[in-house]
Amino acid sequence: LQDATSSGAVMLGHHADDQLETIVLKCLRGCHLSNLRGMAWQDGPFVRPMLSVRKAQIVAYLNEIGQPWMEDASNAEPKYQRNRVRLQLVPLLAEMAGGEGALLARMEAAQQQSAEMREWLERAAADHLAQDRVWPRGLSVAALLSQPPPVQDELLRALLTQRAAGRAEDDEAVGGGGGGRQPSYSWLRRARAQIAGGAGSGGAGWTLHLDGDLALRRTGDL
């Protein structure tokens, strides 16, 4: 748990039940299939060594060694979304899946498939950008439309993220604070629909304002 920049790590108490709740919440709130994953085992100096351990196992162990613990009373309040997922939805899903173990196994498999999809998308986008004659000034519309929709989304994300990060660097240079933004999935859908809708327009120019001062502009094939 040590590296060249720190002398140790901060250990957090998240466990397997927390991980399951996190994934279910991401499904409910909406996320890209390639981002269907829970908390990372390590995130910078923070580590979560109990992500594979169920809460019931932790409680049983503490009782066995006579170790008292404190629990936040608000965890039992169903007025919070995460608590409703924990107290109501997860037990129902476990019952329908054939038990808690079966539900956890299915979620772990979904995470693995999602990670494989993310790896494929990033590799496909990198290969495309290496051959796009106009990158990094922008994207070739013709080349972009030759890709399957999920890869188009990834390429547009790369373009919008690059431009947002560049604007943030400019803002910081003049004391404006800045801060790069990740384009939301709704941005990507709007952008892809606009590009696909204008594919047969002979390269006519247009500008699509996405959020604040960030816009997508087409000029010819760029």
Side-chain angles (χ1 to χ4, degrees):
L1 300 179
Q2 296 184 352
D3 56 38
T5 60
S6 66
S7 58
V10 179
M11 304 178 77
L12 305 178
H14 297 112
H15 46 70
D17 297 62
D18 295 322
Q19 186 76 306
L20 176 59
E21 294 162 13
T22 298
I23 297 172
V24 172
L25 280 167
K26 291 188 77 170
C27 291
L28 293 175
R29 293 168 181 166
C31 73
H32 196 280
L33 290 178
S34 65
N35 291 319
L36 186 61
R37 57 182 179 270
M39 296 172 281
W41 186 87
Q42 183 168 6
D43 185 8
F46 302 100
V47 294
R48 301 177 176 90
M50 295 191 291
L51 280 182
S52 62
V53 184
R54 300 293 309 277
K55 180 180 179 181
Q57 294 174 296
I58 299 172
V59 171
Y61 174 73
L62 293 175
N63 284 328
E64 181 181 344
I65 64 174
Q67 173 64 53
W69 72 91
M70 298 181 67
E71 189 158 345
D72 188 345
S74 68
N75 286 340
E77 293 290 337
K79 63 181 180 180
Y80 302 110
Q81 186 182 46
R82 177 176 281 274
N83 289 357
R84 292 188 65 188
V85 168
R86 177 187 304 124
L87 301 172
Q88 301 172 9
L89 182 55
V90 167
L92 177 60
L93 291 174
E95 178 185 342
M96 299 180 69
E100 294 180 345
L103 178 60
L104 280 171
R106 292 188 184 186
M107 289 298 180
E108 289 174 1
Q111 281 194 96
Q112 179 61 36
Q113 292 170 343
S114 177
E116 291 169 355
M117 179 183 291
R118 166 58 35 202
E119 182 180 353
W120 170 72
L121 285 173
E122 291 178 353
R123 184 171 60 250
D127 290 344
H128 178 100
L129 294 177
Q131 300 177 37
D132 192 319
R133 60 184 178 78
V134 298
W135 182 261
R137 292 187 298 118
L139 294 169
S140 162
V141 175
L144 175 69
L145 292 176
S146 70
Q147 293 285 357
V151 179
Q152 290 184 35
D153 286 343
E154 194 65 20
L155 292 168
L156 288 169
R157 183 188 303 277
L159 175 64
L160 294 169
T161 301
Q162 178 208 57
R163 289 297 185 264
R167 176 58 60 88
E169 291 177 0
D170 291 342
D171 289 345
E172 290 177 355
V174 297
R181 294 171 296 185
Q182 281 289 330
S184 67
Y185 185 55
S186 63
W187 282 16
L188 300 178
R189 291 188 62 184
R190 288 180 60 202
R192 182 152 55 86
Q194 176 72 27
I195 294 169
S201 62
W206 46 256
T207 299
L208 176 65
H209 293 279
L210 296 170
D211 179 55
D213 59 357
L214 188 61
L216 192 68
R217 177 175 297 115
R218 176 174 180 178
T219 305
D221 186 52
L222 181 64

